[in-house]
Amino acid sequence: MRYDNRYIKVLRMLKEYDGYISGEYISNILGVSRVSVCKYISLLRSKYGYIIDAKPRVGYRLLSIPDRLLPWEIMERLEGKSRMVKDILYYDEVSSTQDIALRLAEQGKHSLLVVAERQLKGKGRLSRRWISPHGGIWFSLIVKPDIHISSVSMLSLASALAVCNAINSNYNLNAKIKWPNDVIINYRKVAGILVDASIEQDEMHYAIIGIGINANVSKDTIEKGISDYARQENDVYYKYGYGLTTLIHELNMRVDRVRLLADTIIWFESIYDMLHHNKAEFIEEVKRHMVLGKVSVVSREERIEGYAIGIDEDDGSLLLNYEGRIRKVIAGDVYIRYSI
Ligand code: BTN
């Protein structure tokens, strides 16, 4: 989708020019009045947070772009690089992007990205709450996968790998996958993935890839969100919490959220192609980015201590060396044992 509103066209012109650009020139090129140009400039400033300097008798100059996941900014980065995103739905505040995407997927929509600055009821795995304040990257992508349904669990590994690559290629960090769908930095969770798929008679109608990255949000804010929620729900998991981190905490600086989001999608698409055409290479790539070694795996039934050695090529389950035998773990939470 192209964003063709007049104010976006004004914004594009401001971006193309390094210096000041006169209101008269903008109005001539776009065929609108000077008053309208003024109106678009003030909309860009007040509604969307662009900093635009104005010099009398000289013109306008774009000084900075806001730290927001504005759809035209995301689309600009994806242009010519993505086939899976044709349209973007953007919300400042939403209950859960995953719920919105699910509803739209049921109506037959796909290639649609749902993005929010903040989620009030973000959904995590195993019906957990995902604390999603302003500053994070929260989005859900509706895809129509053409892979076999047995590979559905691979979609979350592919997404986790995409997040790792997007983070590591932009910043000097060593993000890794913690099976099945967490992304961690220095043993602390920085991002989570939730995949909902609709499968009927061996056919996958759609999959919703939900990704949450703790980006420009303080650790304290998320920790407080978790403990408030835990108190409210009297939930043991949240009460004891888990190690978490955020990118701003790791880097001591704000990250470019639009770039990270777009890069995650671009990586996801190329990893998805790898999964489609060369599964063995995909498995190797996941293994290379995964936390291996001594772990405890806790599922509803049991707790097993063993060594994570890789993932199963058929269904993406975790391969664990447990007392000398290889066991396949289909579901569970992995806790890394530090004394490797
Ligand atoms: C997890 O680790 O438990 C998965 C977290 C997934 C969170 C993302 S944020 C965007 C999308 N919308 C949601 O409500 N959840 C996912």
Side-chain angles (χ1 to χ4, degrees):
M1 186 195 194
R2 258 192 90 70
Y3 287 87
D4 270 338
N5 303 343
R6 292 239 173 88
Y7 60 91
I8 305 291
K9 287 186 175 162
V10 171
L11 175 64
R12 242 179 246 136
M13 289 184 77
L14 291 172
K15 281 186 175 181
E16 275 160 22
Y17 278 73
D18 218 4
Y20 285 82
I21 172 170
S22 77
E24 190 182 353
Y25 182 70
I26 300 176
S27 81
N28 285 340
I29 295 283
L30 299 184
V32 296
S33 68
R34 294 277 298 276
V35 175
S36 299
V37 172
C38 251
K39 226 174 60 195
Y40 299 140
I41 296 279
S42 72
L43 181 81
L44 288 167
R45 280 177 176 148
S46 59
K47 184 157 180 204
Y48 298 113
Y50 289 89
I51 311 262
I52 300 165
D53 188 32
K55 265 196 185 151
R57 286 181 299 282
V58 180
Y60 302 102
R61 183 180 185 174
L62 179 63
L63 296 183
S64 81
I65 294 171
D67 178 18
R68 291 201 203 173
L69 301 170
L70 296 168
W72 48 87
E73 296 289 348
I74 297 172
M75 221 34 144
E76 194 177 291
R77 290 225 175 243
L78 290 178
E79 212 150 296
K81 295 184 185 149
S82 164
R83 63 178 192 283
M84 289 192 184
V85 178
K86 301 266 187 281
D87 202 355
I88 302 176
L89 267 184
Y90 168 79
Y91 296 90
D92 188 45
E93 185 178 281
V94 89
S95 159
S96 152
T97 57
Q98 199 77 355
D99 285 345
I100 292 184
L102 270 166
R103 216 174 313 129
L104 293 168
E106 280 298 317
Q107 293 165 15
K109 297 267 192 336
H110 60 85
S111 311
L112 177 67
L113 181 68
V114 184
V115 182
E117 299 287 358
R118 174 176 183 224
Q119 298 184 115
L120 298 176
K121 287 191 176 161
K123 284 164 58 178
R125 221 162 55 90
L126 310 172
S127 308
R128 289 169 183 158
R129 176 61 60 84
W130 182 258
I131 304 298
S132 325
H134 271 287
I137 301 174
W138 326 121
F139 66 95
S140 301
L141 174 66
I142 310 175
V143 294
K144 241 182 147 33
D146 45 7
I147 48 172
H148 191 260
I149 53 154
S150 62
S151 291
V152 65
S153 58
M154 302 291 185
L155 288 178
S156 60
L157 287 170
S159 312
L161 181 54
V163 173
C164 283
N165 286 351
I167 293 176
N168 296 342
S169 60
N170 280 297
Y171 303 101
N172 188 18
L173 290 170
N174 185 20
K176 288 193 151 255
I177 303 171
K178 182 166 82 69
W179 185 91
N181 61 353
D182 292 348
V183 176
I184 61 169
I185 295 172
N186 295 328
Y187 299 105
R188 294 179 189 281
K189 179 160 170 170
V190 71
I193 283 109
L194 178 67
V195 176
D196 287 306
S198 157
I199 297 167
E200 213 175 16
Q201 285 167 355
D202 277 12
E203 202 197 326
M204 200 182 321
H205 295 305
Y206 61 77
I208 317 278
I209 315 282
I211 299 186
I213 307 176
N214 301 334
N216 295 334
V217 50
S218 83
K219 237 176 99 173
D220 290 353
T221 306
I222 298 186
E223 270 160 359
K224 181 167 182 320
I226 291 174
S227 62
D228 286 352
Y229 182 72
R231 211 171 311 116
Q232 189 184 314
E233 300 290 311
N234 203 20
D235 184 318
V236 172
Y237 167 78
Y238 287 101
K239 209 175 273 170
Y240 293 105
Y242 54 86
L244 69 88
T245 192
T246 74
L247 292 175
I248 198 170
H249 177 82
E250 294 295 325
L251 293 163
N252 234 333
M253 64 170 207
R254 297 177 83 78
V255 295
D256 183 337
R257 292 189 300 145
V258 168
R259 179 201 282 256
L260 261 184
L261 193 162
D263 282 2
T264 301
I265 287 168
I266 295 164
W267 275 109
F268 176 75
E269 294 190 22
S270 78
I271 293 163
Y272 178 87
D273 289 342
M274 193 199 296
L275 168 64
H276 204 199
H277 300 297
N278 192 342
K279 204 167 172 184
E281 193 186 335
F282 166 80
I283 299 284
E284 266 319 296
E285 215 31 42
V286 171
K287 206 172 142 184
R288 255 181 9 95
H289 288 81
M290 199 175 134
V291 178
L292 299 171
K294 201 168 179 189
V295 292
S296 298
V297 184
V298 179
S299 67
R300 238 179 252 160
E301 297 80 34
E302 56 185 342
R303 176 187 191 105
I304 326 166
E305 306 260 333
Y307 288 85
I309 56 168
I311 52 165
D312 185 88
E313 192 165 330
D314 293 323
D315 59 9
S317 55
L318 178 70
L319 298 179
L320 205 66
N321 185 333
Y322 172 68
E323 293 177 351
R325 284 186 306 124
I326 307 298
R327 275 189 68 164
K328 270 175 68 166
V329 180
I330 294 163
D333 281 317
V334 169
Y335 294 90
I336 300 159
R337 316 306 304 174
Y338 297 93
S339 54
I340 295 175

